[in-house]
Amino acid sequence: MSRRWRRSGRILFGTLAVCGIAWIFWRSSSTEPASFPVVAQSDIRLSAAAADRQPVPYVLWQRSGEFSRFQPAGTSGARVLAAEYSGMSPDAGVQRRRDDAKKADIVEWTHAKGWLEWNVEVPEDGLYDLMIEYAPMKGSFSEIVRGVQIDGKYPFAEAGRIVLDRQWRDAKYPYDRNGIGNEIRPVQEERSGWQTARVTDYSLSSEPLRWALTKGPHTIRLVGVKEPVALYSLTLASPEKLPAYAEYAGRHPAGSGPQKDWYQRYEAEQFLQKSAVSTRTISVAEPLVSPDAKGKITYNALGGTSWEKAGQSVEWEIAVPETGYYAIDLKYFQGYNGNASVYRTVLIDDQVPFREMLHYRFAPNRALEIKPLADPDGEPYLFHLTEGTHRLKLVADNSLVRPAVEALHEIRQRVMSIEKEIRAISGNYGFGADQNIDTARTWEIKKFDPEIENKLQSVNDEMEVVRDYLLGLNQAVTDPTTALSALIDLVRSLKQDVNEIPNQVTAFSDIVSGIGTWIKPVESQALQLDYIVVRTPQTNPPFQIPNGWDKVRYTAVNFARSFFENYDTNELNDENALTIWVQRGRDYVDLLQSLIEQEFTPQTGIKVNVNLIPNQNVLLMGNAAGDQPDLALGVGMETPVDFAMRGAAEDLSQYDGFEEVLKRFNPGIMRSYNYGGGVYGLPETQTYNMMFYRTDIFEQLGIEPPDTWDDLMRLLPTLQERGMSFKYPRKIDGTIHSNLTTSGAYSLHYALPFYQQGAEFYTEDGLQTELTSTEGLAAFKQYTEWFSKYSLPQEVPAFINHFRYGDMPIGISDFMLNIQLTVAAPELAGHWKMVPVPGTRQPDGTVVRWAPQETTSAFMMKQSKRKEEAWKFLEWWTSGSVQSRYGNDIESYAGIEYRWYTANVAAMQTLPWSEDDLKALNEQDRWAKNVPYVPGYYFLTREMDFAWINTVIGGKPARETLGKSEMSLQREMRRKQEEFGLTPDDNLQVTPYNQPYGRE
């Protein structure tokens, strides 16, 4: 009996367990959405700090009494021609000329400096839209930016950065295909001509920005920020009143009978124009994607993470057969940002048809799906279109999250302010892991700051409101809201025992860093489109989304293709052609191949095989196996000499015309290619450190950027007493990334002080090290004291974030940070500068700024059977004209993120740098001085790191640690010299270089 009960019990328990698991699985897979209360934007409180800012943010300005006392202006407005400007600054560089298209005088603002001003008579009090009729002029691939001042002041903070869109399109469609059938993206071309824009910032508002003006005379001033532009007119216009959908539908009554069944599909990648070069077509290999990739790289969709920034628009031309109502379906994927929604403002013929098309919501999904533009109940909106062609535009719009973002910025500043006060009380001015904490001391913080608990509670409450607002907006838990909940818990833990805060002061940095990390995901508006369908309301097009069987079948077909499809361009190589291996991204290689076919081969008759390699290991293994190219491009700076030491690289100095080719490059960086009297490679691209500083913060503090290291040491107390610091790149900044740089191994952070102090690392024969020379010891002591005595932060993982938020308003970084700031921190436009690094003043008063540079390299293999042809290619490839064209073309692929940092000195001058940036880059480039490569060179960085750690962290004397490192380096150098058969009588000819480069 008991055995039967036990058996029945096990069965019952098993049944309950299965049911429980099934219930959990059903709950986890349920598609029923969670429901969160909606929090109004007005509930998001902006701090007093925001209100004290002048000018205030647009979000706060809209809540101000100044804004609320104005109503939208009536039908009247005011217009002024650009050529009738009333004043300009001397540096504006403005020219009047007669324009044939306008049949009137226009203004050409040839660079982004100075300002232009107009007098305008406003007919009545009210809120106005500002319309600008303009035409882009030839510049870089960046957007046009101007500040707008009314009566000499910015009415709100964002008025200092008003964007005027440029329009781009693919230079060719359909795309070309390479030898194995993969599509090749074409360069982008700008659509020129006049365009009129109502000034709009989709990160602030889906509608045009409103400008509050009283009746009477006013001045409108445009302030140069970025890119040249031609201007025809400025107009203050009454705001357009948008109808709700019900009113819109009532204005256009339906026809007498039903419309015919009709639909038309428009491929997303076949767009008319786009406002950002960086918005790109992408290749998607999934079932029922149109068109099917069929195992090849086919750019059959648009957007994704390249279409995520507010204001980026894409426009398509559509056509309908007759006047009537039409529905619009989109096949899209929106899963780049977890459960967060994204938004697009929809325009037809440059007009938003009804209010529901402002910041239209695209819900997150897990795969491509087809949905109409529809109301919250899923009923498609119907658009009244007249017979013929129309233009459909989608604009990325994050204006709904802007109040939350602004609040997060303000909360971040408040937390930094609290941290600064706590550090002042406790005397702890450490940075990062280097903290001055007295854990034995018992604190009574409320004696020093009676309001500390209230301050923390206020931060807690405001973070909760922001989190709840985002939950209500997305109707889902997202990664940012989860992170905010964790930060809220951290604030609460600090509030529980405020006397422990001095010992937990790094928690404030965690909060600040956490907020900064999640602001960008909150703002992101990534959306991928496959195609658009325009149809009559009753039509049901035959397009479907894949089911499970479709996915299985598609995967099986692709697997079968892998047995006979050709995926390697190497297999198509012509045995009688020059073979080049390139370590770069596919777009770089495709463009190089195209340029070769257009120029090099027709000019020389030399055919070229261009093959992509993923890393340098392929080159090493190929050389060992006897399968090697004639030339290698895009490899690390050290690679040519590494191969030369082993007899695998060709000495280029023996070829005709070498001396002329050598003049194309800075001799300071050529030290990295010299070995034993030969030259074994040529630089392709270069990057080097510059100093960046926040001009707005420096103006507030009344200080100037340092010119020398002594200036910096005098400046540091002013920064540190305000909780700020300076960044010196002891390690490669992980946020700086480019297809043009090699591995992060090149981190000669110590070379700058050594060279500026006149020290050398090796003797002139290259066989001995000289670390502990008098100059070397002085340089090493200076270098380590920056961190031990002056408390520079030892590590700064993401300098761009510290720079952006102002706690590190100055520092040294690779000049690629210039591009990053332009792209990732547009709100800082006009508030930072790039200048040469600090130098060391000499007895004669001159300042030397010696610093190493990083390059990517091109070199010829010793075993090449086509050396003369390979040399002709290097002559062509490194020429100024080819480097200039390649640099401009590659930047057109995806915007300034793809800038080509050519090492050709002349070509560098033709790239679209601003005048000030190019001047600063050229000045620093004069002081390029690279560390030569000798056998055992790789131990230098390792031993210098050991010496730094033992001195700064271990507290040992500089002379002792540097001497120990010198002995270790010398042992390794001797070992490698013996391996390569070098004797003490050999001379590697490490020639001193002490004269800055002078351009001809």
Side-chain angles (χ1 to χ4, degrees):
M1 185 75 168
S2 61
R3 184 179 302 170
R4 216 170 27 240
W5 275 108
R6 285 197 298 271
R7 181 181 178 188
S8 300
R10 286 196 298 269
I11 294 173
L12 177 61
F13 178 78
T15 302
L16 290 174
V18 170
C19 292
I21 293 171
W23 181 83
I24 292 172
F25 178 78
W26 175 80
R27 289 288 297 172
S28 64
S29 61
S30 174
T31 58
E32 182 178 349
S35 178
F36 296 92
V38 176
V39 177
Q41 287 188 8
S42 57
D43 291 340
I44 298 178
R45 299 184 300 274
L46 294 176
S47 70
D52 291 339
R53 281 162 52 187
Q54 292 297 329
V56 299
Y58 187 75
V59 173
L60 193 59
W61 184 69
Q62 286 184 301
R63 302 180 184 180
S64 69
E66 179 185 0
F67 182 89
S68 60
R69 69 186 181 90
F70 286 90
Q71 297 297 320
T75 56
S76 59
R79 182 172 182 261
V80 60
L81 296 178
E84 297 174 354
Y85 58 86
S86 57
M88 71 173 183
S89 63
D91 57 343
V94 169
Q95 298 177 350
R96 282 193 182 97
R97 72 164 177 85
R98 188 75 176 176
D99 184 76
D100 293 336
K102 289 296 180 183
K103 297 181 179 179
D105 287 345
I106 57 98
V107 164
E108 287 187 341
W109 199 339
T110 54
H111 53 66
K113 289 184 177 181
W115 52 264
L116 270 177
E117 190 171 76
W118 294 265
N119 293 326
V120 61
E121 187 71 25
V122 177
E124 62 177 293
D125 293 358
L127 297 173
Y128 290 86
D129 292 354
L130 176 61
M131 300 173 63
I132 301 178
E133 193 167 0
Y134 67 98
M137 298 175 64
K138 183 173 177 56
S140 72
F141 296 91
S142 186
E143 58 206 359
I144 301 165
V145 182
R146 292 295 183 270
V148 177
Q149 295 182 347
I150 304 296
D151 298 328
K153 295 189 297 184
Y154 294 114
F156 45 87
E158 295 83 358
R161 187 185 180 278
I162 297 300
V163 174
L164 301 177
D165 285 337
R166 303 166 73 175
Q167 301 299 330
W168 307 88
R169 63 182 175 189
D170 289 332
K172 188 173 187 179
Y173 192 89
Y175 296 174
D176 291 333
R177 291 184 179 268
N178 64 13
I180 59 175
N182 291 334
E183 283 192 339
I184 302 173
R185 286 194 188 98
V187 298
Q188 307 293 290
E189 63 181 17
E190 185 169 11
R191 301 196 71 179
S192 60
W194 292 98
Q195 48 190 300
T196 302
R198 286 182 182 255
V199 171
T200 308
D201 186 338
Y202 288 93
S203 70
L204 303 175
S205 172
S206 304
E207 297 184 86
L209 300 177
R210 307 300 190 212
W211 309 82
L213 294 166
T214 57
K215 180 180 179 180
H218 293 273
T219 60
I220 301 176
R221 175 181 291 183
L222 296 188
V223 180
V225 179
K226 191 165 60 173
E227 295 299 308
V229 66
L231 300 171
Y232 174 63
S233 68
L234 289 82
T235 303
L236 292 172
S238 58
E240 296 176 326
K241 185 177 180 181
L242 287 178
Y245 178 66
E247 181 183 350
Y248 169 84
R251 291 179 182 178
H252 306 283
S256 57
Q259 294 174 253
K260 299 177 182 178
D261 284 354
W262 175 88
Y263 70 88
Q264 180 64 52
R265 180 170 65 185
Y266 298 93
E267 298 294 341
E269 67 274 12
Q270 197 170 355
F271 55 88
L272 176 67
Q273 60 187 20
K274 58 184 180 179
S275 65
V277 174
S278 56
T279 303
R280 310 173 72 193
T281 54
I282 56 178
S283 178
V284 178
E286 293 182 15
L288 303 185
V289 170
S290 175
D292 184 8
K294 297 181 179 179
K296 303 295 184 182
I297 293 177
T298 301
Y299 296 106
N300 52 4
L302 177 84
T305 55
S306 70
W307 190 19
E308 67 173 356
K309 296 177 182 175
Q312 291 181 334
S313 66
V314 184
E315 194 168 351
W316 296 265
E317 190 172 76
I318 61 175
V320 296
E322 61 182 2
T323 300
Y325 278 102
Y326 294 87
I328 298 176
D329 301 334
L330 302 175
K331 185 177 183 183
Y332 74 94
F333 170 66
Q334 201 282 89
Y336 295 96
N337 204 11
N339 294 322
S341 301
V342 303
Y343 302 88
R344 293 293 184 271
T345 287
V346 182
L347 298 90
I348 295 178
D349 298 328
D350 287 328
Q351 299 289 325
V352 178
F354 42 87
R355 295 202 64 82
E356 286 79 357
M357 289 298 99
L358 298 172
H359 46 256
Y360 178 83
R361 175 175 179 260
F362 286 84
N365 55 25
R366 296 183 179 180
L368 284 163
E369 62 181 351
I370 306 171
K371 283 190 173 182
L373 296 176
D375 64 21
D377 296 327
E379 187 67 25
Y381 289 117
L382 300 182
F383 300 84
H384 189 268
L385 301 175
T386 57
E387 179 184 346
T389 60
H390 297 270
R391 288 175 292 115
L392 171 66
K393 180 190 290 188
L394 299 183
V395 187
D397 186 329
N398 66 7
S399 58
L400 290 184
V401 304
R402 183 65 182 201
V405 169
E406 193 65 46
L408 288 174
H409 281 300
E410 296 303 332
I411 292 170
R412 190 178 185 280
Q413 291 297 323
R414 293 183 64 188
V415 173
M416 289 173 61
S417 178
I418 296 173
E419 178 188 11
K420 193 181 303 181
E421 293 168 0
I422 295 296
R423 288 186 180 277
I425 292 170
S426 62
N428 178 5
Y429 290 101
F431 193 93
D434 185 17
Q435 298 294 324
N436 179 25
I437 298 176
D438 184 1
T439 56
R441 179 171 178 175
T442 300
W443 289 94
E444 295 183 58
I445 286 296
K446 293 175 73 173
K447 285 187 176 180
F448 299 95
D449 187 354
E451 295 297 316
I452 183 64
E453 289 181 340
N454 292 335
K455 291 176 182 178
L456 292 174
Q457 185 62 49
S458 176
V459 168
N460 176 87
D461 294 344
E462 292 177 17
M463 289 177 70
E464 284 185 342
V465 172
V466 172
R467 179 199 60 190
D468 294 344
Y469 175 78
L470 293 174
L471 288 171
L473 188 65
N474 294 301
Q475 287 300 304
V477 175
T478 63
D479 291 342
T481 58
T482 302
L484 283 174
S485 294
L487 295 178
I488 290 168
D489 290 340
L490 184 54
V491 173
R492 289 172 179 168
S493 69
L494 291 174
K495 182 174 176 290
Q496 285 178 354
D497 188 356
V498 294
N499 291 327
E500 279 298 308
I501 289 178
N503 297 328
Q504 299 174 351
V505 71
T506 56
F508 291 107
S509 298
D510 294 337
I511 296 169
V512 168
S513 176
I515 293 174
T517 298
W518 290 104
I519 284 177
K520 188 175 187 298
V522 168
E523 293 178 312
S524 176
Q525 299 294 310
L527 181 70
Q528 173 190 317
L529 284 184
D530 183 13
Y531 55 74
I532 300 166
V533 177
V534 181
R535 59 181 175 86
T536 49
Q538 76 281 1
T539 303
N540 187 21
F543 309 125
Q544 300 177 346
I545 58 174
N547 54 33
W549 169 244
D550 291 326
K551 296 176 181 178
V552 170
R553 181 174 57 185
Y554 190 84
T555 302
V557 170
N558 273 347
F559 177 72
R561 282 195 183 108
S562 67
F563 290 98
F564 58 85
E565 286 281 3
N566 186 1
Y567 296 102
D568 189 356
T569 56
N570 291 359
E571 298 179 13
L572 301 177
N573 282 353
D574 185 343
E575 294 183 357
N576 297 317
L578 185 70
T579 298
I580 301 175
W581 289 2
V582 186
Q583 183 191 329
R584 284 199 176 92
R586 185 176 299 277
D587 285 333
Y588 291 90
V589 174
D590 286 343
L591 179 59
L592 174 60
Q593 180 74 67
S594 175
L595 205 57
I596 289 170
E597 293 173 356
Q598 294 174 28
E599 287 192 13
F600 180 70
T601 299
Q603 291 173 8
T604 64
I606 300 172
K607 295 182 179 180
V608 181
N609 303 316
V610 181
N611 303 136
L612 179 67
I613 60 172
N615 54 61
Q616 293 180 185
N617 291 334
V618 176
L619 194 62
L620 294 171
M621 292 185 291
N623 184 63
D627 178 19
Q628 58 188 4
D630 300 296
L631 287 169
L633 306 182
V635 296
M637 181 169 62
E638 73 286 350
T639 304
V641 172
D642 264 338
F643 274 67
M645 293 176 188
R646 295 160 176 81
E650 180 74 2
D651 180 5
L652 303 180
S653 63
Q654 60 186 312
Y655 287 89
D656 292 339
F658 172 77
E659 292 300 326
E660 289 301 314
V661 171
L662 191 62
K663 293 178 182 178
R664 299 170 179 174
F665 310 108
N666 188 319
I669 65 176
M670 292 305 297
R671 302 181 89 216
S672 296
Y673 299 101
N674 297 334
Y675 181 74
V679 179
Y680 292 91
L682 296 175
E684 294 181 279
T685 65
Q686 62 182 348
T687 56
Y688 46 90
N689 285 329
M690 300 290 290
M691 185 168 71
F692 295 81
Y693 74 99
R694 288 280 300 272
T695 55
D696 54 344
I697 294 177
F698 270 56
E699 288 172 2
Q700 291 172 11
L701 298 178
I703 54 179
E704 295 292 331
D707 187 48
T708 67
W709 294 104
D710 289 339
D711 294 341
L712 176 62
M713 298 309 115
R714 288 190 289 268
L715 175 67
L716 277 176
T718 302
L719 296 176
Q720 290 170 341
E721 69 186 10
R722 291 168 172 80
M724 301 175 183
S725 192
F726 175 93
K727 181 240 182 171
Y728 184 84
R730 203 183 74 78
K731 292 186 177 180
I732 293 293
D733 189 341
T735 63
I736 302 291
H737 171 77
S738 171
N739 275 300
L740 309 181
T741 57
T742 54
S743 68
Y746 183 77
S747 180
L748 300 179
H749 46 84
Y750 51 84
L752 183 150
F754 267 70
Y755 281 154
Q756 289 193 7
Q757 290 285 355
E760 291 288 346
F761 295 99
Y762 308 110
T763 56
E764 292 188 27
D765 61 7
L767 302 179
Q768 304 288 326
T769 179
E770 289 190 315
L771 293 185
T772 56
S773 65
T774 302
E775 296 83 3
L777 280 170
F780 186 68
K781 183 179 179 182
Q782 178 193 38
Y783 173 50
T784 53
E785 284 185 348
W786 289 345
F787 301 92
S788 60
K789 182 178 179 180
Y790 295 98
S791 300
L792 293 188
Q794 297 174 13
E795 293 187 23
V796 184
F799 174 53
I800 185 174
N801 289 335
H802 294 282
F803 188 81
R804 183 179 189 178
Y805 299 123
D807 57 302
M808 200 170 287
I810 183 171
I812 293 175
S813 185
D814 192 302
F815 68 63
M816 287 187 290
L817 181 64
N818 179 295
I819 304 301
Q820 278 203 331
L821 288 170
T822 300
V823 173
E827 74 279 3
L828 293 183
H831 298 302
W832 59 271
K833 280 189 177 181
M834 177 178 70
V835 295
V837 300
T840 300
R841 194 173 300 280
Q842 303 300 294
D844 63 359
T846 60
V847 176
V848 299
R849 307 182 192 277
W850 297 113
Q853 297 188 6
E854 180 181 3
T855 66
T856 57
S857 310
F859 77 103
M860 188 190 307
M861 304 299 293
K862 184 74 171 180
Q863 300 302 317
S864 170
K865 297 179 181 179
R866 297 178 175 81
K867 293 181 180 179
E868 288 297 332
E869 294 176 348
W871 173 245
K872 287 183 179 179
F873 179 86
L874 287 177
E875 282 187 294
W876 171 82
W877 172 234
T878 61
S879 66
S881 60
V882 173
Q883 286 290 297
S884 178
R885 177 180 174 184
Y886 186 85
N888 282 283
D889 284 354
I890 197 64
E891 190 166 334
S892 82
Y893 269 104
I896 61 175
E897 298 99 315
Y898 269 50
R899 181 155 297 174
W900 179 255
Y901 308 115
T902 179
N904 183 297
V905 174
M908 182 73 168
Q909 313 307 306
T910 69
L911 298 182
W913 296 100
S914 72
E915 182 180 338
D916 289 342
D917 287 345
L918 187 59
K919 181 180 179 181
L921 289 168
N922 286 339
E923 172 58 24
Q924 185 59 53
D925 187 47
R926 293 180 61 231
W927 300 96
K929 185 175 181 178
N930 279 12
V931 179
Y933 290 115
V934 299
Y937 72 87
Y938 47 84
F939 250 52
L940 175 61
T941 294
R942 168 184 157 169
E943 291 303 326
M944 290 301 297
D945 272 340
F946 287 166
W948 184 93
I949 292 170
N950 289 330
T951 302
V952 176
I953 299 177
K956 295 181 180 179
R959 180 182 293 274
E960 175 187 332
T961 60
L962 191 62
K964 183 178 179 180
S965 290
E966 183 180 53
M967 288 189 293
S968 179
L969 173 60
Q970 189 63 58
R971 280 196 301 268
E972 182 64 15
M973 289 175 63
R974 286 174 181 166
R975 188 181 73 82
K976 296 303 290 185
Q977 289 165 16
E978 291 174 3
E979 178 183 331
F980 295 144
L982 297 174
T983 69
D985 296 329
D986 286 313
N987 188 345
L988 299 182
Q989 300 183 33
V990 178
T991 306
Y993 179 75
N994 298 309
Q995 188 65 34
Y997 176 59
R999 287 176 171 77
E1000 295 180 356

